Amino acid sequence: MSSLTSPIGTSSSATAVAAAGAERGNSARWIGRLVIYGLLVIFAILYLMPLFVMLTTSFKTMDEIQGGNMLALPEAPTFDPWVKAWGEACVGLTCAGIKGYFWNSIKMVVPAVAISTIMGALNGYILTKWRFPGHTLVFGLMLFACFIPFQSVLLPMATILGSLGRFGVTLQNATGWNFGFGNSTVNLVFVHVVYGLGFTTLFFRNFYEAFPTELVRAAQVDGASFFQIFRRIMLPNSLPIIVVTVIYQFTNIWNDFLFASAYAGTGDSMPMTVALNNVVNTSIGVVEYNVNMAAAMIAAVPTLIVYILAGRYFVRGLMAGAVKG
């Protein structure tokens, strides 16, 4: 009788042990998840705390700021600091707000991003589908440009921009039009296109490396030209990496302060970052922290919008060219 019941008892014991092990495994997984998500929440709070303080302070009155808690929500929210920051804040000796400098940044960022993206796409297309002797060396040199610090190119770039400015004066005297040479906004567009070209080329080169070369060869057999292949085949299939490049370039160029302060740091042509610094450092009477915070939020809005609308495509675009098919 014991020989008949022993296997059953052993089986029940094994089942109980397995169930206990599974329960312990589930408990361990839940504890691990709680620890991970708890740390993520803590770090997210710490990371977003400055943004929260900026946003809430920008809707407070000065009386509330001076007599209240920095982390408290505004008791009587007001848009007056935003209105004053946009149209009345003092930037140096000029009290016309930051709206003009905001549009200066728009006029600089849009062409710089567009030109650097198109040129990066062309470079990636040539380096992968129209390879020439020495293409590896050319790509290596362009990749090396990605590691050059901003500070090391300030003086050489200033020399080049000075030469372009003198050329613009010559054109002005000869034709009555300088074609933008010597203009601060044009100078910044040129600087950001040159400095960002290494990164945009890297993005598109890696993406096009995984693109089927057979499609290009078939188009050549059908008589398609260099630019027809680029415009009708490559670009329509490049949306993921175009999104990555636009986000990367837009963020870097909009937030740039070093080049902006070096080449357009004075006058009405300075971009938003330099103007924001001047707003904060301008001290006439009482320091209006709510206006300063509102100006900082206005400066941050474009990059926030870009990340909110297209941020989820950033990682997808990077991964799209990570594995060669």
Side-chain angles (χ1 to χ4, degrees):
M1 190 73 178
S2 60
S3 62
L4 294 175
T5 59
S6 178
I8 298 175
T10 303
S11 176
S12 300
S13 177
T15 303
V17 171
E23 185 176 352
R24 286 195 298 270
N26 290 333
S27 300
R29 281 195 295 270
W30 276 107
I31 292 174
R33 290 180 180 178
L34 287 175
V35 171
I36 292 174
Y37 285 114
L39 289 175
L40 288 175
V41 170
I42 292 173
F43 286 125
I45 292 173
L46 293 175
Y47 184 79
L48 294 175
M49 187 63 70
L51 180 63
F52 173 78
V53 172
M54 288 172 56
L55 187 60
T56 56
T57 304
S58 68
F59 289 105
K60 294 179 181 179
T61 62
M62 282 302 299
D63 292 336
E64 187 177 350
I65 292 173
Q66 293 170 351
N69 184 358
M70 181 176 64
L71 298 179
L73 293 174
E75 297 176 0
T78 174
F79 283 95
D80 290 342
W82 290 72
V83 175
K84 187 170 183 178
W86 181 254
E88 301 176 19
C90 293
V91 182
L93 299 177
T94 304
C95 296
I98 61 174
K99 58 179 181 296
Y101 308 104
F102 184 91
W103 296 119
N104 286 343
S105 290
I106 294 292
K107 290 186 290 185
M108 174 192 66
V109 168
V110 172
V113 170
I115 295 172
S116 60
T117 300
I118 292 297
M119 293 187 67
L122 279 170
N123 288 342
Y125 170 49
I126 294 171
L127 291 172
T128 55
K129 306 308 177 187
W130 295 77
R131 288 175 174 168
F132 52 89
H135 71 276
T136 305
L137 176 62
V138 172
F139 177 67
L141 292 174
M142 298 195 72
L143 189 62
F144 177 74
C146 299
F147 301 96
I148 299 177
F150 280 30
Q151 294 82 356
S152 63
V153 302
L154 286 178
L155 290 179
M157 187 62 72
T159 303
I160 294 174
L161 294 179
S163 300
L164 292 177
R166 289 190 292 272
F167 180 66
V169 172
T170 303
L171 289 177
Q172 181 75 36
N173 295 332
T175 64
W177 183 255
N178 61 8
F179 297 95
F181 290 102
N183 180 274
S184 298
T185 302
V186 175
N187 287 345
L188 286 177
V189 170
F190 175 77
V191 170
H192 287 297
V193 167
V194 171
Y195 197 85
L197 199 55
F199 294 97
T200 59
T201 299
L202 173 65
F203 294 155
F204 278 97
R205 187 262 183 189
N206 290 344
F207 183 82
Y208 288 153
E209 189 68 35
F211 194 86
T213 306
E214 292 77 12
L215 291 178
V216 178
R217 298 289 179 262
Q220 287 179 307
V221 172
D222 290 337
S225 65
F226 174 90
F227 285 105
Q228 285 177 330
I229 296 173
F230 178 70
R231 180 169 56 88
R232 296 182 179 180
I233 297 177
M234 305 302 289
L235 277 185
N237 292 284
S238 303
L239 183 59
I241 202 64
I242 288 176
V243 172
V244 170
T245 306
V246 168
I247 293 176
Y248 181 85
Q249 281 292 88
F250 183 92
T251 304
N252 282 346
I253 296 173
W254 183 272
N255 293 332
D256 169 68
F257 179 78
L258 184 61
F259 288 152
S261 60
Y263 305 131
T266 59
D268 296 333
S269 60
M270 64 176 128
M272 185 67 190
T273 50
V274 181
L276 179 61
N277 178 70
N278 292 343
V279 168
V280 174
N281 291 327
T282 299
S283 56
I284 301 177
V286 178
V287 179
E288 297 179 306
Y289 295 105
N290 52 357
V291 176
N292 293 346
M293 294 300 180
M297 287 302 304
I298 293 173
V301 162
T303 51
L304 289 175
I305 291 176
V306 168
Y307 271 107
I308 290 172
L309 295 180
R312 61 178 178 173
Y313 301 107
F314 187 78
V315 176
R316 295 183 190 177
L318 286 177
M319 296 300 295
V323 180
K324 183 177 180 180

